[in-house]
Amino acid sequence: MKLREILKDIDIVKCTADMDMEISGISYDSRHTRPGDLFVAVKGLTVDGHKFIPTALEKGAAAVLCQDEPEEGIAWVQTPDCRYGLAICSRNFFGDPASSMKLIAFTGTSGKTSSTVLLKHLLEDELGAKVGLVGTNGNMIGDKIIHTEYTTPESYELQKLFHAMKEEGCTHVVMEVSSHSLALERVAGLKFDVAVFTNLSQDHLDLHGTMEEYAAAKKKLFSQCAVACMNLDDKWAEFMAKDLKCPVTSCSAERNDADIIAKDIRLSATGVRFAAVHGGEIALVKLNIPGMFSVHNALGVIAAASCLGISLDKCADALATAKGVKGRMEPVPTDGDYSIIIDYSHKPDALENVLKTLRPVTRGRLIVLFGCGGDRDRLKRPIMGAIAADNADLVVVTSDNPRTEEPMDIINEIVPGLKNRHTPYKVICDRRQAIAWAIDKAGPGDVILLAGKGHEDYQVIGHERVHMDEREIVAEYLKKRNSAR
């Protein structure tokens, strides 16, 4: 492909490269650069790609896309923002594959993963569509699972994934769009058919600084969509919907002025049911995933599906056969009259929602085990401690993904939120030992919530991923305990 074709829609400040030169690939990591590549010198959060221009050239890069002028004697193109440039160049290189598929996005602090899985099931069930999925639990092309490192991949990998989805016959793509991906231009150049706002609560302030900046990053998505869907029950919905140039479809479980409304809501230990009302249509929705958040997730999915022309009855039919998501309110086998639930709730509102969901179905004590991730928003740590103390009967504070922080330093920032409250708590830094301790304390009717890891089968210590699957830990400990009896 010629350089000028790859650079279509890119703002060029200066250029020394021959626009008719042939480019065989794109790279933004010099370790992966191949002969004939266009090397994009991205300025990262910790590393500046401009430093690796010489390495990329040594490996055969044909030209460089940069923000700062490099040394003389090389072929380069200067643009104001290489992150945006990487996204647009990648889109052009792969032939804009997303434009040939229906693209539906979910953004918000919580509910993205469950919502994308639900909508994928709905589209497959009611339309017979082959659906691609981009999300936290992994990317999918139909039934094939593809491992991912990020909720939303870097723009080059994302466009490559879209290309693979198109080649394998996908007609629709549902995806999670994180605030990181919006702030870092990973989805630049994409046009979404439908974009859904789920909710917003404190998270990722290590990147955004304030809730206002966090919300502004999320709102960028709605400048790239044909139709926006808004959860009116979240206080940030008004901010998200303000001054949008696209039509807005609203949904609510609390208000009567929304386009899609949930009425007569019934919650149980096995799921939710409610009457969905959309104009003159009414349908009974049954979803086998417990919790009020499941009502909100279902409403967002119904709103997105309705924007794609799917009737309310068909939405209800599909949701009735939907299954839960790994690591979201996932029950784990036990050896007695107590329950263990694994959930990804690693944010304040998510932890509170899950605990409030489990409280009515807990006959005995509600025991919660959790930690907080290292190198992430420190402000939420005491907040989560307070939420655990206010909503559980026993709290076990342990390690999550410490990353480059000392695990006990993280725990020591959680504990102040637990103090001056009447709920007993135990600090056990080693997560395996903490899980074993919690199991030993469980009595008849108790529910143990293992919060924070969810679908993850690893623990991030330093920069390394160490295998750690809580399902395996529980099974192994129960086997060991029973054999010792």
Side-chain angles (χ1 to χ4, degrees):
M1 182 179 283
K2 293 188 183 301
L3 180 60
R4 70 171 67 254
E5 296 172 323
I6 291 177
L7 295 176
K8 180 185 176 183
D9 299 327
I10 296 288
D11 184 10
I12 297 175
V13 179
K14 289 183 181 180
C15 178
T16 66
D18 177 4
M19 285 293 186
D20 289 320
M21 73 163 59
E22 288 292 331
I23 299 294
S24 58
I26 296 174
S27 61
Y28 60 94
D29 184 333
S30 61
R31 293 170 297 183
H32 302 146
T33 299
R34 296 183 178 182
D37 276 3
L38 171 67
F39 177 72
V40 185
V42 174
K43 289 191 174 185
L45 298 176
T46 58
V47 178
D48 186 350
H50 288 74
K51 295 180 180 179
F52 301 96
I53 290 175
T55 303
L57 293 170
E58 288 175 6
K59 291 194 171 185
V64 173
L65 184 66
C66 53
Q67 288 175 225
D68 303 330
E69 287 191 28
E71 63 185 41
E72 296 295 326
I74 67 172
W76 54 268
V77 180
Q78 186 182 17
T79 192
D81 185 349
C82 276
R83 283 197 174 278
Y84 180 84
L86 176 62
I88 303 303
C89 287
S90 299
R91 181 198 67 184
N92 295 340
F93 180 75
F94 286 107
D96 194 10
S99 64
S100 65
M101 301 177 285
K102 292 288 185 182
L103 196 57
I104 305 101
F106 287 82
T107 197
T109 305
S110 303
K112 298 188 297 296
T113 300
S114 295
S115 296
T116 54
V117 171
L118 288 175
L119 184 58
K120 182 177 186 292
H121 169 77
L122 191 156
L123 294 172
E124 291 169 339
D125 195 62
E126 293 303 323
L127 299 182
K130 186 166 186 177
V131 183
L133 183 144
V134 183
T136 304
N137 280 19
N139 303 323
M140 298 183 72
I141 300 178
D143 295 329
K144 183 169 67 175
I145 299 174
I146 304 167
H147 177 71
T148 182
E149 296 289 333
Y150 303 103
T151 297
T152 313
E154 187 55 81
S155 56
Y156 176 81
E157 282 75 24
L158 182 60
Q159 292 293 340
K160 184 178 180 181
L161 179 60
F162 286 151
H163 178 73
M165 289 175 174
K166 178 185 175 182
E167 290 295 300
E168 295 198 30
C170 289
T171 57
H172 296 69
V173 178
V174 292
M175 64 182 293
E176 300 178 46
V177 177
S178 66
S179 60
H180 281 70
S181 69
L182 289 158
L184 301 177
E185 302 289 8
R186 291 176 186 165
V187 295
L190 294 175
K191 185 68 174 178
F192 297 92
D193 293 275
V194 183
V196 183
F197 169 67
T198 61
N199 51 62
L200 197 76
S201 60
Q202 183 172 323
D203 197 28
H204 301 309
L205 297 193
D206 53 310
L207 173 67
H208 302 292
T210 66
M211 284 296 294
E212 288 71 23
E213 290 180 6
Y214 180 31
K218 291 284 191 187
K219 187 169 182 173
K220 287 180 65 176
L221 175 64
F222 301 102
S223 66
Q224 296 176 231
C225 68
V227 182
C229 299
M230 295 288 166
N231 169 24
L232 294 189
D233 296 337
D234 189 87
K235 66 180 182 180
W236 287 95
E238 183 178 356
F239 171 83
M240 294 293 169
K242 186 177 181 181
D243 298 327
L244 292 187
K245 296 180 180 179
C246 65
V248 176
T249 294
S250 59
C251 56
S252 174
E254 300 173 7
R255 296 167 52 167
N256 292 321
D257 57 344
D259 298 307
I260 301 171
I261 304 168
K263 293 284 191 179
D264 192 24
I265 300 169
R266 307 290 178 89
L267 307 178
S268 73
T270 57
V272 301
R273 65 170 58 194
F274 61 91
V277 182
H278 185 200
E281 291 184 273
I282 301 177
L284 177 62
V285 177
K286 299 178 182 178
L287 185 61
N288 298 318
I289 307 171
M292 189 62 198
F293 55 83
S294 291
V295 177
H296 285 113
N297 291 344
L299 285 172
V301 168
I302 291 170
S306 71
C307 292
L308 296 171
I310 301 173
S311 70
L312 200 58
D313 283 339
K314 288 187 175 181
C315 290
D317 289 344
L319 291 175
T321 60
K323 297 179 180 179
V325 180
K326 182 181 179 182
R328 265 67 172 184
M329 292 291 284
E330 178 187 353
V332 178
T334 66
D335 61 350
D337 183 21
Y338 64 97
S339 302
I340 298 177
I341 301 293
I342 292 177
D343 193 82
Y344 191 48
S345 44
H346 61 290
K347 305 165 188 173
D349 71 314
L351 182 62
E352 184 175 14
N353 286 339
V354 171
L355 288 170
K356 286 184 175 179
T357 296
L358 291 173
R359 172 58 72 189
V361 298
T362 301
R363 292 184 292 108
R365 295 176 304 164
L366 182 53
I367 303 169
V368 59
L369 179 149
F370 81 103
C372 288
D375 302 333
R376 297 295 186 268
D377 182 9
R378 294 174 59 186
L379 297 177
K380 73 180 183 183
R381 293 171 184 174
I383 295 172
M384 291 186 68
I387 287 171
D390 290 344
N391 293 279
D393 300 304
L394 175 62
V395 179
V396 184
V397 186
T398 187
S399 183
D400 192 283
N401 291 323
R403 299 184 177 88
T404 64
E405 289 192 62
E406 285 296 324
M408 278 307 302
D409 290 345
I410 299 171
I411 289 172
N412 288 336
E413 292 187 353
I414 296 172
V415 167
L418 291 154
K419 291 183 175 178
N420 301 319
R421 285 172 164 80
H422 299 297
T423 305
Y425 68 91
K426 178 77 171 180
V427 171
I428 304 176
C429 188
D430 184 282
R431 197 169 181 105
R432 289 177 180 271
Q433 294 177 13
I435 291 172
W437 188 88
I439 291 173
D440 284 342
K441 294 298 178 182
D446 287 354
V447 174
I448 302 172
L449 172 65
L450 305 181
K453 299 297 294 173
H455 61 282
E456 295 177 351
D457 58 2
Y458 58 84
Q459 188 173 37
V460 184
I461 301 174
H463 296 287
E464 300 296 323
R465 287 191 177 192
V466 179
H467 180 75
M468 189 188 75
D469 189 323
E470 291 185 323
R471 299 152 197 80
E472 295 175 3
I473 292 172
V474 171
E476 289 168 2
Y477 182 69
L478 292 178
K479 182 179 180 180
K480 176 181 177 182
R481 188 175 70 168
N482 290 334
S483 65
R485 287 174 176 173

